[in-house]
Amino acid sequence: MKSILEDIKNNEFKHVYLFYGEEGYLKKQYRDKLSAAWLPEDDTMNRTTFRGKGISPGEVIDLGETLPFLAQSRVLILEETGFFKGQCEKLPDYIAQLPDYLYLLFVEEEIDKRSRMYKAVKSAGRIVEFTRQNESTLMRWVLGTLKKEGRKITKQDMELFLSCTGNDMYQIENELEKLLAYTAGRDVILTADIEAVCSVQVANHIFDMVRAVAQKDQKQALKLYYDLLELKEPPMRILFLLARQFNHLLQIKELSAAGYSQSEMASKIGVQSFVVRNYMGYAGKYEKQMLQEALNDFLQAEEEVKTGRLTDVMSVELLIVKYSTA
């Protein structure tokens, strides 16, 4: 991302860029920064955006060959085209010889680095991956917004807030706007404010369910499961998230035994550091063999649902009962 800012600062650009990765918020922010650096925002004559699959490479090339109208540049922004995952004729060769006035920006979530398109952009331009941001980066971002608004928050409540939102920056921004509106006129954001306003992710309900299972609180574990069903959460998604939580427990148990620190474990697993801290206490309640057995059971349950031997609702319920029995 620093390379993009350097290009903008120095007014020295590549003629083709590829932004890809999971973090949609940052991709949008940097897309808009780069686009505005190429052309004034109100220049709709020379800026064209293509979105979605089914875009014709020939149409893109024809437009690229059209000279800009009363401007120095023509900008083409292409989003979620699928060009970097399948066959894309003509464009890779065109990218190798772009006109001096033409700038292309591709914005994708998933790409195949073996594709001709990826190799063409890598050779002729710049590729930037936008990954989910780590805990410290997200905290600095939220604190910066709060400071602008004259608000304060404790570290403990910041962790609570991020545990509700997850690490998706769109979700964080939406929940933060709600929280700021709710606490208007006050300097300090409190635990009660977060609990009253912020939407709790389904993953947090799943973690609460895992915690109840680990504590052998079968009644609470089943209650949380039924709550999720009432929220219209598909049983197979609950099973997937449950399996992911148990896989995290297994990874933490193995990494902890190997001597990794909390922050190192968070980096390897791809979660926030305080999430690892929360998991560690529950990982200790299971033997490694039991966690592996649970993961095998989850796979078996999915197979039994697919083959019709069990209903999806019943399969997850039986697993919760099995692993929460005292």
Side-chain angles (χ1 to χ4, degrees):
M1 288 181 281
K2 289 181 180 178
S3 63
I4 304 168
L5 296 177
E6 284 294 319
D7 289 351
I8 294 172
K9 178 182 176 181
N10 298 327
N11 199 34
E12 295 178 357
F13 301 104
K14 305 293 184 182
H15 282 274
V16 58
Y17 289 77
L18 166 61
F19 294 172
Y20 77 96
E22 291 182 307
E23 186 44 74
Y25 181 90
L26 288 178
K27 279 191 298 187
K28 179 180 181 298
Q29 296 294 312
Y30 279 82
R31 177 202 69 189
D32 293 347
K33 287 177 188 290
L34 192 56
S35 179
W38 282 333
L39 282 174
E41 293 184 14
D42 59 353
D43 188 346
T44 57
M45 293 289 294
N46 297 297
R47 181 188 290 105
T48 304
T49 299
F50 296 87
R51 288 191 179 90
K53 296 178 175 60
I55 298 167
S56 166
E59 182 183 354
V60 174
I61 293 172
D62 287 344
L63 189 55
E65 287 296 293
T66 304
L67 289 170
F69 180 72
L70 300 177
Q72 297 294 317
S73 306
R74 178 169 293 283
V75 172
L76 304 183
I77 299 173
L78 301 101
E79 301 188 71
E80 301 302 336
T81 62
F83 287 162
F84 293 82
K85 290 199 70 179
Q87 291 295 323
C88 179
E89 301 298 330
K90 300 181 181 179
L91 268 181
D93 293 331
Y94 184 62
I95 286 172
Q97 48 185 356
L98 293 175
D100 289 340
Y101 59 78
L102 182 61
Y103 294 96
L104 299 180
L105 170 58
F106 294 93
V107 183
E108 306 283 335
E109 182 167 346
E110 297 180 356
I111 54 97
D112 183 348
K113 294 182 179 180
R114 300 168 297 178
S115 66
R116 287 187 66 213
M117 282 291 290
Y118 182 89
K119 292 174 182 176
V121 176
K122 184 177 181 181
S123 176
R126 192 182 301 288
I127 297 175
V128 181
E129 181 181 8
F130 291 82
T131 58
R132 297 292 191 198
Q133 300 300 288
N134 60 33
E135 174 190 345
S136 60
T137 301
L138 292 174
M139 283 189 174
R140 286 197 302 271
W141 180 54
V142 174
L143 286 172
T145 302
L146 292 178
K147 186 176 181 180
K148 289 177 185 176
E149 299 292 331
R151 309 295 178 83
K152 297 178 182 178
I153 190 171
T154 66
K155 183 179 180 182
Q156 183 178 354
D157 284 335
M158 173 68 83
E159 290 181 355
L160 173 63
F161 174 71
L162 291 178
S163 73
C164 290
T165 63
N167 59 2
D168 182 277
M169 294 179 76
Y170 276 123
Q171 176 75 3
I172 293 172
E173 184 181 53
N174 289 336
E175 296 301 313
L176 192 56
E177 286 179 3
K178 288 159 54 178
L179 193 58
L180 288 170
Y182 183 78
T183 58
R186 287 196 281 117
D187 295 337
V188 180
I189 292 174
L190 305 173
T191 303
D193 300 325
I194 298 168
E195 292 175 342
V197 173
C198 296
S199 302
V200 178
Q201 287 193 320
V202 169
N204 292 334
H205 286 290
I206 298 290
F207 179 75
D208 289 340
M209 193 165 67
V210 170
R211 178 168 55 193
V213 169
Q215 294 173 338
K216 306 301 181 184
D217 188 346
Q218 191 174 97
K219 182 178 179 181
Q220 178 65 7
L222 289 171
K223 178 186 180 301
L224 288 165
Y225 177 52
Y226 300 145
D227 287 346
L228 287 166
L229 293 178
E230 286 185 12
L231 292 170
K232 307 299 182 184
E233 195 64 29
M236 286 297 93
R237 174 166 162 75
I238 297 173
L239 179 62
F240 166 77
L241 292 171
L242 192 60
R244 188 171 70 176
Q245 300 279 23
F246 269 79
N247 187 45
H248 285 162
L249 291 175
L250 178 59
Q251 288 178 285
I252 286 169
K253 194 171 191 68
E254 292 175 337
L255 291 170
S256 180
Y260 285 88
S261 68
Q262 182 175 306
S263 59
E264 289 172 332
M265 287 189 279
S267 177
K268 283 186 170 292
I269 297 172
V271 298
Q272 295 158 344
S273 182
F274 66 83
V275 173
V276 171
R277 186 180 68 228
N278 292 339
Y279 274 116
M280 287 181 71
Y282 299 107
K285 294 179 180 293
Y286 292 98
E287 296 296 330
K288 180 178 176 180
Q289 183 179 350
M290 181 176 287
L291 291 171
Q292 291 171 329
E293 180 184 337
L295 291 174
N296 289 332
D297 281 349
F298 297 150
L299 287 174
Q300 182 64 31
E302 183 181 15
E303 180 64 24
E304 289 178 343
V305 170
K306 287 181 178 178
T307 56
R309 294 197 295 271
L310 270 179
T311 65
D312 51 1
V313 173
M314 180 61 72
S315 66
V316 180
E317 184 171 328
L318 289 173
L319 287 170
I320 293 171
V321 169
K322 176 178 179 178
Y323 287 98
S324 63
T325 298

